[in-house]
Amino acid sequence: MEIVNITKSYDANFVRQVEDESGQIMSQCYQCGNCTAGCPYTFVYDQPVNQIMRLVQAGQKETVLKSKSLWLCATCESCTTRCPNNIDVAHIMDVLRHMARRNGYSPVPTVKSFWDSFLSSVENNGRAFEIGLLVSYIAKTGRFWTDLDLGPKILPKGKMHFTPPNMQGKEEVKKIFNRFREESRK
Amino acid sequence: MSDSLTYAYYPGCSGTGTSIEYDMSTRAICAELGITLTDIPDWSCCGSTPAHTVDHTLSSALSARNLALVEKMDLDTAITPCPSCLTNLKTATHRMEKDVFREKVNNLLDTPYQGGVATKSVLQILVEDMGVKALKDKTVKPLKGLKVAAYYGCIMNRPPEVMNFDDPEHPMAMDNILTALGATVLPFPLKVECCGASFGIPRKDIVMNLSGKLLDAAKDIGADALATACPLCQMNLDLRQDQINSSGGTNYDIPVFYYTQLIGLALGLSEKKLGIDKLCVSPRKVINAIGRDEAS
């Protein structure tokens, strides 16, 4: 782990904000490392999850919010389940992602694009429309070769639809997203 | 077993598409077992992982819209086969116990959700409401000779405070069911390890690595097949098995069933009803082997 001069860059507001939004008490983490020991994603993380926890304690807002780890966490709940101090670590990772989004960080653009494509599919159709979301993902990322090899396996089995799901109340779902955006602007 | 096992049913988006055989086999076994499923009318997506990575109020509102629909149905329990839907429904329920949060969520909805609908997985009601013994009693074609690894995936049982079912490290529900149906359920050390989840498209390398480990462990313990309970796990292990082989230089050929399909086979239901032909890695050899053992 790199050396951080916390007297220069400690951001008390950041720590408070993470605690407020997650309902967790950061000082309860004593760095046992259990979360990292069980995390299946450490091999692709730039900061292991216990170091994310430590960096939040140390008020290192920028280092944390630009970390790739936030976007590579799958919320598998290993960390939360195994924390000896009952800290909901996965919830903190979620909250950090929210903050990273609000601050405009997107260090793993493919993951963000995929999640965004999924959500716009839900917003527009009420339910996920897989082929539609793939097209939107490819348009966002230019990765047109994504999973081309799977087409012949899955299409003949009738497991993907070429038209959006037929959901009557889809306008109701759209309103949820609209109201959410209005509330967020307040 | 009571005669009145009736539930509001939430198929989830994948149940209408990529995991259609999970939905088909769930409906087929429930009908056979006398469990009544009433679809939640005009249900919508729970938002899956992407919603909760954006905002918890939004994520809970997407789930709560469905729970409010259940309230109108006069049923007290909603069930779903999909662990991802389940975790969203349960987390929304859990968080909405707090008045301030419930109000924020309800502000986003046309119809507010009052609370009070119980949410469970199909697996949970099978072991808790139906009972393993009832399943055993209804078995007409035991899964004799099938050596299977039961793979639960990461979120069916975790975190325990929210999911409130079985054990978060060593769940046994599927093991117990499959054993009762006559299969040999092998001790599978990675039963709650993550398969790589929805990173298949944006970061395939992750799924190749994590699902590769699962297939490797299944092969190591001598499993003929895997039994799964999650659409995403099944897709990563089955649909992507060739990709995993190419990326890791392996040659796995392990069928990956939904546990509901195996129950259906034991209950004597037709393969067509259970969507067996929807699986990518052919289960032919494994199914024939069960048949041969049964005849001998």
Side-chain angles (χ1 to χ4, degrees):
Chain A
M1 191 175 179
E2 64 188 296
I3 295 167
V4 174
N5 184 343
I6 60 170
T7 51
K8 277 190 185 155
S9 49
Y10 179 77
D11 182 340
N13 268 335
F14 173 61
V15 185
R16 218 169 8 247
Q17 201 181 351
V18 175
E19 291 193 333
D20 281 352
E21 290 190 29
S22 67
Q24 307 298 306
I25 301 165
M26 290 311 302
S27 58
Q28 281 178 348
C29 171
Y30 53 36
Q31 287 292 306
C32 71
N34 222 0
C35 48
T36 297
C39 175
Y41 292 86
T42 305
F43 79 107
V44 283
Y45 277 10
D46 49 3
Q47 316 270 2
V49 61
N50 72 299
Q51 289 186 12
I52 296 277
M53 294 292 286
R54 186 74 189 102
L55 284 162
V56 176
Q57 287 176 333
Q60 300 303 305
K61 181 175 175 176
E62 211 191 317
T63 310
V64 171
L65 294 189
K66 67 181 191 195
S67 167
K68 289 185 177 163
S69 308
L70 307 182
W71 301 87
L72 297 170
C73 157
T75 324
C76 79
E77 304 285 357
S78 283
C79 49
T80 295
T81 303
R82 293 172 188 173
C83 175
N85 289 344
N86 292 321
I87 303 170
D88 193 341
V89 184
H91 192 162
I92 293 172
M93 291 295 274
D94 239 3
V95 160
L96 293 172
R97 284 190 273 239
H98 305 166
M99 294 167 77
R101 270 181 185 274
R102 292 200 299 263
N103 285 274
Y105 292 108
S106 165
V108 191
T110 53
V111 171
K112 182 175 181 290
S113 299
F114 181 70
W115 286 341
D116 289 350
S117 298
F118 183 95
L119 277 183
S120 52
S121 177
V122 175
E123 179 171 358
N124 292 322
N125 304 298
R127 293 177 193 160
F129 167 38
E130 282 141 344
I131 287 187
L133 88 86
L134 274 177
V135 169
S136 143
Y137 172 76
I138 290 164
K140 280 193 175 91
T141 58
R143 288 160 56 107
F144 60 88
W145 63 90
T146 298
D147 282 339
L148 269 185
D149 54 324
L150 298 183
K153 282 181 192 297
I154 199 166
L155 295 176
K157 295 187 186 290
K159 295 172 84 171
M160 282 219 169
H161 302 289
F162 289 96
T163 49
N166 180 20
M167 202 210 136
Q168 290 182 335
K170 63 181 185 185
E171 291 307 317
E172 242 181 81
V173 177
K174 209 172 261 179
K175 276 196 270 176
I176 294 176
F177 281 89
N178 285 337
R179 289 185 191 123
F180 165 68
R181 276 190 284 265
E182 276 165 34
E183 290 290 323
S184 313
R185 271 195 291 270
K186 278 181 192 169
Chain B
M1 173 194 154
S2 103
D3 289 332
S4 59
L5 296 177
T6 303
Y7 306 93
Y9 181 64
Y10 183 78
C13 300
S14 55
T16 64
T18 47
S19 72
I20 193 161
E21 68 271 45
Y22 196 12
D23 184 65
M24 288 165 72
S25 52
T26 299
R27 289 179 194 272
I29 64 164
C30 285
E32 186 68 16
L33 294 166
I35 298 169
T36 307
L37 304 180
T38 311
D39 284 37
I40 300 172
D42 212 38
W43 58 271
S44 49
C45 176
C46 69
S48 197
T49 303
H52 72 68
T53 65
V54 170
D55 184 83
H56 289 143
T57 315
L58 173 68
S59 167
S60 290
L62 292 171
S63 288
R65 178 183 177 271
N66 294 294
L67 294 169
L69 291 171
V70 180
E71 276 182 321
K72 283 194 210 154
M73 296 170 74
D74 273 338
L75 288 171
D76 53 14
T77 307
I79 65 169
T80 180
C82 172
S84 179
C85 302
L86 181 73
T87 196
N88 278 312
L89 295 171
K90 274 188 179 292
T91 304
T93 309
H94 186 73
R95 292 199 176 132
M96 286 176 82
E97 281 166 12
K98 287 197 174 137
D99 294 343
V100 180
F101 187 76
R102 187 174 62 239
E103 208 172 299
K104 271 172 72 181
V105 172
N106 279 338
N107 275 341
L108 304 185
L109 297 175
D110 279 4
T111 312
Y113 171 58
Q114 307 301 332
V117 175
T119 48
K120 293 177 182 174
S121 63
V122 172
L123 182 62
Q124 181 171 8
I125 64 110
L126 284 178
V127 294
E128 289 182 355
D129 299 358
M130 164 69 47
V132 171
K133 190 180 172 302
L135 280 167
K136 188 181 175 137
D137 292 346
K138 297 226 176 200
T139 300
V140 293
K141 289 192 172 175
L143 306 173
K144 258 175 73 185
L146 174 68
K147 287 185 287 178
V148 61
Y151 173 55
Y152 296 75
C154 52
I155 52 174
M156 178 74 104
N157 310 89
R158 307 187 306 184
E161 295 76 27
V162 177
M163 302 315 276
N164 210 8
F165 167 58
D166 211 342
D167 188 284
E169 299 287 357
H170 303 289
M172 285 300 288
M174 240 197 292
D175 292 55
N176 292 340
I177 289 177
L178 296 170
T179 304
L181 303 181
T184 304
V185 184
L186 304 165
F188 187 48
L190 303 182
K191 50 164 77 167
V192 296
E193 202 67 18
C194 186
C195 67
S198 64
F199 289 125
I201 290 167
R203 281 293 300 264
K204 196 176 296 173
D205 58 314
I206 294 177
V207 171
M208 298 299 104
N209 185 308
L210 297 181
S211 283
K213 276 185 197 162
L214 291 166
L215 291 170
D216 194 42
K219 188 174 178 237
D220 257 11
I221 59 170
D224 302 324
L226 275 151
T228 51
C230 170
L232 207 50
C233 301
Q234 199 279 344
M235 196 159 77
N236 283 339
L237 294 166
D238 179 38
L239 176 66
R240 294 190 185 278
Q241 201 169 119
D242 278 350
Q243 290 181 338
I244 293 167
N245 282 335
S246 317
S247 109
T250 49
N251 57 349
Y252 303 122
D253 183 24
I254 306 174
V256 186
F257 294 96
Y258 286 105
Y259 77 98
T260 43
Q261 292 179 306
L262 292 175
I263 295 177
L265 290 174
L267 296 177
L269 300 175
S270 75
E271 290 186 20
K272 194 168 170 47
K273 262 192 177 168
L274 302 169
I276 296 288
D277 61 332
K278 307 281 184 196
L279 301 176
C280 290
V281 176
S282 170
R284 200 67 267 143
K285 225 168 79 184
V286 169
I287 293 181
N288 288 347
I290 310 170
R292 271 206 300 277
D293 270 356
E294 201 201 348
S296 64

